[in-house]
Amino acid sequence: MIDPRRIRLLNENHDGQGAVIYWMSRDQRVRHNWALLFARRKAELMQEPLVVLFTLAPSFLHAPLRHYGFMLKGLQEVEADLKALNIPFVLLQGEPERELPRFAEQMRAGLLVTDFSPLNISGKWKKEVAQQLTIPLYEVDTHNIVPCWIASGKQEYSARTIRPKINALLGEFLTDFPDLEPLASPSQQQPVDWNNVYRKLKADPDVPSVEWLKPGEQAAQACLDSFLQNRLASYAEQRNDPNAGATSFLSPYLHFGHISAQFIAIRASKSNAPEADKKAFLEELIVRRELAENYCCYNDRYDSLEGIPAWARESLKQHGDDRREYLYSAETFAAAKTHERLWNAAQRELITTGVIHGYMRMYWAKKILEWSETPRQAFETAIFLNDRFALDGREPNGYAGIAWSIGGLHDRPWFDREVYGKIRYMNASGCARKFDVNRYIARFESQEGRKKTEQQTLFP
Ligand code: FO1
């Protein structure tokens, strides 16, 4: 049924009599959700009611309207899908560490289940909730295929060191999901007053929602189908060509948990795309993603310069006084107003579409290092911009990607050079050897170029 290694108890309390609450946070979906399946099973065994709860924090790491819009529409779909299964859904607005214990008390809950996230904010919420409760708080890793704490008990050096540990366990964890049984009788739960939720929401409207990617489980499924049919078969050689539209576009859905990585891996493995393409995609989806989870789980400085390897910190410090040929503030970067058209185009891709191609995100971050006063300021600027504009911001992949680009995380030392020290160097002419940079610039520099891009991106 559910592998017990996916579950860990966050306090010492024993199951009590009373309702089972699934505190949904990271994995905002009904299908293929081990935390929900576990909570359903507990409710069955204990013959107790089951309720799914989402706590909407007043602000979440400065997320703007772009992210809240995407997330709340996805949650409306969760509410409807749960209703069809007679499972009540409750949304509470406020600080989770206050709202949750109060709700558990009110519900006379017998136990609490939540889903795993390696981020500090999530760990803080859970620690404070676990301490206040007299009932158990179970955490279930339903974001990863091999549970994060099973794949490795420490921070790994690189993909090379974590890959064998994950591959050795894939056979046991890359399994199909059991069905989620409905509850016997329709719930009396009042529907969420979504207008009121939107009214009380304080999210920066200056980063508007994106129109080209629809939120929610159904749209995520359609996006997966489209990827498997149209883009997986060219993935291996085209994944580093930002003009090819060869990426899965699944990262925003993975960030909000609208789709399960395990489900994607099962479907991709079964597809009839060439082995090389499947291998390249699964390496990104499983090994690279779980390496990022591992980094955030075992290094709580994942979002700062302190998180990068010592050799890189030392090397950047040695070059701290090197002359910077160009210097830009976070505002100038945010406005895509540097001297380099390719970098500006990458920033415009981020602003207008809410996603940035993986290869371009590396180049984009490295130039922020090169054109910032200090590496620390570069790190902060890259995270600020990624979290503000990228729909898959505030995600381990983003933090690890920026730490790789600016701080050599999961990479090795290269030849020493100005400003970068031993951090791997990238530049526009390197990009030009890989893809048609003028086409990329044209897509994002001009107004009409952007319109075409949005259309083309959805159905290439
Ligand atoms: N998760 C929540 O449980 N409550 C929130 O209010 C919330 C807001 C939010 C805004 C932007 C965003 O990118 C993610 C957000 N999340 C929220 C999801 C969050 O990623 C996960 O819940 C984990 O806590 C961290 O991975």
Side-chain angles (χ1 to χ4, degrees):
M1 182 59 168
I2 300 171
D3 192 310
R5 292 172 290 177
R6 265 189 203 290
I7 303 159
R8 60 182 183 180
L9 190 52
L10 299 186
N11 59 22
E12 309 296 314
N13 305 332
H14 300 287
D15 295 4
Q17 287 306 315
V20 174
I21 300 174
Y22 165 32
W23 173 24
M24 176 184 276
S25 176
R26 186 166 194 220
D27 291 278
Q28 300 167 22
R29 64 176 178 278
V30 174
R31 288 169 205 76
H32 313 130
N33 183 331
W34 291 115
L36 180 52
L37 285 162
F38 175 63
R40 177 71 187 82
R41 179 119 181 79
K42 278 285 190 180
E44 189 72 36
L45 290 174
M46 295 159 60
Q47 284 299 302
E48 294 286 357
L50 167 65
V51 60
V52 174
L53 166 74
F54 187 86
T55 49
L56 184 63
S59 75
F60 187 88
L61 301 175
H62 317 300
L65 192 62
R66 169 171 292 180
H67 300 77
Y68 276 102
F70 198 87
M71 185 177 79
L72 292 177
K73 284 205 182 60
L75 286 171
Q76 284 175 250
E77 195 174 317
V78 162
E79 179 186 39
D81 290 350
L82 286 173
K83 187 168 175 56
L85 292 163
N86 296 331
I87 299 175
F89 176 77
V90 174
L91 183 137
L92 294 177
Q93 276 183 285
E95 292 304 341
E97 57 269 35
R98 237 202 340 275
E99 297 302 328
L100 246 165
R102 193 185 317 175
F103 183 72
E105 186 65 36
Q106 196 186 326
M107 291 290 294
R108 286 199 298 285
L111 71 91
L112 204 56
V113 177
T114 189
D115 42 46
F116 167 70
S117 162
L119 296 197
N120 294 332
I121 185 168
S122 180
K124 174 177 152 305
W125 288 351
K126 288 167 190 170
K127 192 160 170 291
E128 291 178 23
V129 167
Q131 278 161 359
Q132 293 180 60
L133 294 174
T134 56
I135 55 175
L137 173 58
Y138 292 96
E139 182 177 53
V140 181
D141 184 350
T142 187
H143 211 78
N144 295 304
I145 294 159
V146 178
C148 191
W149 51 78
I150 301 295
S152 170
K154 64 178 176 52
Q155 179 176 338
E156 293 290 332
Y157 286 102
S158 67
R160 188 178 44 75
T161 64
I162 200 173
R163 187 178 295 113
K165 298 180 179 181
I166 287 176
N167 287 340
L169 290 163
L170 265 191
E172 299 170 52
F173 287 101
L174 186 50
T175 63
D176 286 322
F177 291 84
D179 289 333
L180 175 66
E181 298 298 323
L183 291 180
S185 48
S187 87
Q188 314 306 325
Q189 182 58 43
Q190 289 303 316
V192 174
D193 176 354
W194 293 102
N195 293 330
N196 188 40
V197 170
Y198 276 101
R199 231 191 335 273
K200 284 166 66 178
L201 194 66
K202 291 189 296 299
D204 182 353
D206 287 351
V207 184
S209 299
V210 296
E211 297 313 319
W212 64 280
L213 195 70
K214 291 286 161 257
E217 279 192 67
Q218 279 183 344
Q221 178 75 58
C223 182
L224 173 61
D225 292 342
S226 156
F227 171 65
L228 293 177
Q229 276 146 27
N230 309 322
R231 301 195 293 277
L232 177 55
S234 60
Y235 186 81
E237 81 273 358
Q238 294 209 342
R239 69 188 151 139
N240 279 343
D241 175 357
N243 292 319
T247 57
S248 67
F249 299 113
L250 289 167
S251 62
Y253 296 117
L254 281 164
H255 169 61
F256 288 103
H258 293 170
I259 193 165
S260 146
Q262 181 163 339
F263 177 67
I264 295 171
I266 292 168
R267 288 285 308 280
S269 311
K270 289 177 179 164
S271 92
N272 52 19
E275 278 315 305
D277 295 312
K278 288 173 15 176
K279 191 166 177 297
F281 174 67
L282 291 173
E283 166 73 9
E284 291 299 314
L285 177 75
I286 303 174
V287 175
R288 284 280 155 194
R289 229 176 36 76
E290 298 220 11
L291 178 63
E293 298 277 314
N294 167 276
Y295 171 54
C296 294
C297 183
Y298 294 112
N299 185 329
D300 60 9
R301 314 301 303 268
Y302 58 79
D303 56 353
S304 82
L305 215 55
E306 276 62 42
I308 68 175
W311 66 262
R313 249 195 334 273
E314 188 44 45
S315 179
L316 286 171
K317 203 159 72 181
Q318 276 165 15
H319 290 267
D321 297 334
D322 293 1
R323 203 179 73 78
R324 269 74 174 154
E325 198 179 341
Y326 297 94
L327 275 183
Y328 299 114
S329 66
E331 292 68 30
T332 307
F333 281 120
K337 292 236 179 326
T338 71
H339 66 287
E340 190 162 284
R341 294 175 66 202
L342 181 61
W343 191 92
N344 294 341
Q347 177 59 20
R348 293 214 59 77
E349 176 179 27
L350 203 46
I351 293 169
T352 54
T353 69
V355 294
I356 182 167
H357 188 278
Y359 187 84
M360 288 311 285
R361 188 176 350 226
M362 295 194 284
Y363 154 79
W364 170 87
K366 286 180 181 288
K367 289 300 146 190
I368 293 176
L369 167 63
E370 190 176 333
W371 302 331
S372 291
E373 190 95 36
T374 65
R376 177 175 306 286
Q377 187 180 320
F379 210 99
E380 287 164 5
T381 299
I383 286 188
F384 165 71
L385 295 178
N386 188 57
D387 285 0
R388 182 164 170 75
F389 296 107
L391 269 171
D392 65 355
R394 277 171 295 282
E395 185 65 16
N397 253 4
Y399 295 120
I402 287 166
W404 180 90
S405 302
I406 297 181
L409 176 80
H410 301 146
D411 199 359
R412 62 175 180 78
W414 290 73
F415 323 104
D416 208 62
R417 64 177 296 135
E418 291 288 284
V419 180
Y420 285 75
K422 295 183 176 62
I423 305 291
R424 180 197 298 251
Y425 179 68
M426 283 173 81
N427 67 358
S429 51
C431 293
R433 283 195 295 276
K434 287 244 177 194
F435 63 91
D436 181 344
V437 291
N438 294 323
R439 179 144 168 258
Y440 180 81
I441 290 170
R443 284 171 56 204
F444 294 107
E445 208 173 42
S446 63
Q447 195 66 32
E448 55 283 353
R450 274 208 315 277
K451 273 278 145 283
K452 234 191 333 286
T453 290
E454 281 159 12
Q455 259 60 44
Q456 179 224 350
T457 303
L458 199 61
F459 300 106

